[in-house]
């Protein structure tokens, strides 16, 4: 860790801005429960995202659409109890903000009040700008999310790279500028060409965080289950696995089963 994040006892949206200005990269990972958040926070991550990817990796849904606001608040509350230093950002789930800025404000306030989170994240650009603006007016920090926005998966049809064509790339850049002007403190860009993500990052003065967007963004985010190698079947090009926990955990369970069946567990020291 270099100076800015090392000096911060508690990460804030202002720390992230100072990190961008100092050229220090921002680390961000998802967490959805107390135990995982405790490990990730203790390791010194800058930002924890309670992502609606909980719908996939915690609940086993194919998409992020089914997760509810109540479920997001449950995950966020569990994470907040564990965190001492990281900034905790929570996704507003599908159906809790699109097309209705009053509902968006209500949803954001519920997240902040009931979970104790520090900020919310919304997917989209100009089409959700009224919601972004209304939430900001209540003093709630907002993070944007452009590129592959999984809540719109049925509009896109596939999870392939977005904004490869000029028109979509131009719209993304315009949306990024609009979000910054409206007051978001940061922007996630998912699965877009590295060159475009670099251009957006250089254009904006707020921090950008990439996932599958190359090395020119101000920080990186991954889904923690992917980083840990718990999600064995998911291997997009952008993913680097830092552990193979699926295999390690499966072996541990197989070992336990063997010991139970053979009456090796519990032994005399493991009983009262
Ligand atoms: O829900 C999530 O995990 C996300 C990240 C992929 C950025 O939005």
């Amino acid at each position: 860790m270099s100076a800015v994040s090392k000096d911060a006892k508690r990460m804030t949206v202002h720390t992230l801005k100072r990190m961008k200005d100092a050229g220090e990269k921002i680390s961000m990972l998802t967490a959805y429960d107390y135990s995982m958040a405790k490990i990730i926070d203790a390791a010194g991550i800058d930002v924890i995202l309670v992502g609606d990817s909980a719908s996939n990796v915690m609940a086993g849904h194919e998409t992020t659409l089914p997760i509810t606001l109540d479920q997001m608040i449950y995950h966020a509350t569990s994470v907040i109890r564990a965190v001492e230093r990281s900034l905790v950002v929570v996704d507003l789930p599908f159906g809790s903000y699109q097309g209705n800025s009053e509902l968006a404000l209500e949803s954001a306030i519920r997240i902040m009040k009931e979970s104790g989170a520090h900020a919310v994240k919304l997917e989209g650009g100009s089409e959700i700008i009224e919601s972004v603006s209304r939430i900001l007016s209540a003093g709630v920090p907002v993070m944007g999310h452009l590129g592959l926005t999984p809540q719109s998966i049925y509009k896109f049809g596939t999870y392939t790279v977005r904004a490869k064509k000029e028109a979509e790339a131009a719209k993304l850049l315009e949306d990024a500028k609009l979000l910054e002007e409206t007051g978001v403190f940061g922007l996630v860009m998912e699965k877009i060409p590295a060159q475009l993500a670099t251009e957006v990052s250089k254009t904006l003065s707020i921090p950008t965080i990439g996932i599958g967007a190359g090395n020119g963004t101000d920080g990186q985010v991954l889904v923690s289950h992917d980083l840990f190698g718990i999600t064995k079947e998911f291997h997009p090009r952008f993913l680097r696995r830092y552990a193979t926990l699926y295999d390690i955990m499966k072996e541990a369970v197989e070992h336990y089963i063997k010991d139970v069946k053979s009456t090796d567990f519990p032994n005399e020291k493991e009983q009262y």
Side-chain angles (χ1 to χ4, degrees):
M1 272 194 265
S2 70
V4 180
S5 64
K6 207 175 85 193
D7 289 348
K9 284 206 176 71
R10 176 111 231 178
M11 297 298 296
T12 69
V13 296
H14 306 286
T15 324
L16 300 186
K17 170 72 173 123
R18 286 202 297 277
M19 288 171 77
K20 171 160 183 152
D21 294 343
E24 180 185 346
K25 296 281 185 182
I26 297 162
S27 61
M28 174 162 155
L29 265 183
T30 64
Y32 319 98
D33 69 278
Y34 175 84
S35 303
M36 197 83 100
K38 208 160 179 64
I39 296 168
I40 291 170
D41 182 62
I45 205 81
D46 298 315
V47 186
I48 290 183
L49 172 66
V50 183
D52 59 358
S53 49
S55 180
N56 309 112
V57 297
M58 299 301 287
H61 291 297
E62 206 178 305
T63 73
T64 57
L65 275 66
I67 200 160
T68 65
L69 183 59
D70 284 336
Q71 287 164 342
M72 288 303 297
I73 291 170
Y74 168 77
H75 287 297
T77 308
S78 310
V79 166
I80 281 287
R81 280 188 209 111
V83 167
E84 288 179 13
R85 181 184 163 277
S86 315
L87 179 80
V88 178
V89 181
V90 181
D91 268 337
L92 281 190
F94 177 69
S96 72
Y97 62 96
Q98 292 96 338
N100 184 342
S101 65
E102 280 176 30
L103 175 67
L105 178 59
E106 240 172 69
S107 305
I109 286 180
R110 276 202 62 202
I111 286 181
M112 302 297 283
K113 225 183 198 4
E114 294 177 37
S115 77
H118 311 134
V120 296
K121 175 165 82 59
L122 282 70
E123 295 182 4
S126 55
E127 55 290 335
I128 57 140
I129 214 67
E130 224 180 285
S131 293
V132 171
S133 179
R134 197 177 274 246
I135 295 170
L136 285 166
S137 73
V140 176
V142 175
M143 184 167 224
H145 184 157
L146 296 173
L148 177 64
T149 46
Q151 291 178 14
S152 306
I153 188 57
Y154 291 116
K155 184 174 90 180
F156 298 144
T158 73
Y159 286 99
T160 56
V161 181
R162 303 303 315 172
K164 277 164 91 175
K165 299 218 169 93
E166 216 176 301
E168 195 180 336
K171 156 113 171 81
L172 191 144
L173 182 56
E174 284 314 305
D175 278 342
K177 287 188 207 160
L178 179 64
L179 285 165
E180 173 167 84
E181 278 161 30
T182 308
V184 304
F185 73 87
L187 176 66
V188 167
M189 291 185 284
E190 181 166 353
K191 247 184 155 182
I192 61 169
Q195 206 181 344
L196 174 62
T198 303
E199 185 189 348
V200 173
S201 305
K202 283 185 179 156
T203 305
L204 301 189
S205 65
I206 53 166
T208 62
I209 310 285
I211 173 163
N215 212 357
T217 53
D218 303 307
Q220 298 292 330
V221 58
L222 283 176
V223 168
S224 52
H225 286 59
D226 298 337
L227 171 142
F228 290 131
I230 297 173
T231 49
K232 202 176 163 65
E233 309 303 326
F234 182 62
H235 27 71
R237 190 207 293 203
F238 69 77
L239 175 61
R240 187 181 296 180
R241 290 198 198 287
Y242 287 83
T244 53
L245 288 200
Y246 180 97
D247 293 330
I248 290 168
M249 290 167 86
K250 184 163 166 275
E251 265 168 43
V253 175
E254 285 165 354
H255 198 163
Y256 167 72
I257 294 169
K258 187 169 141 280
D259 288 354
V260 169
K261 303 275 181 194
S262 69
T263 69
D264 182 77
F265 176 79
N267 64 24
E268 276 181 19
K269 284 190 198 149
E270 291 161 335
Q271 66 189 18
Y272 300 99

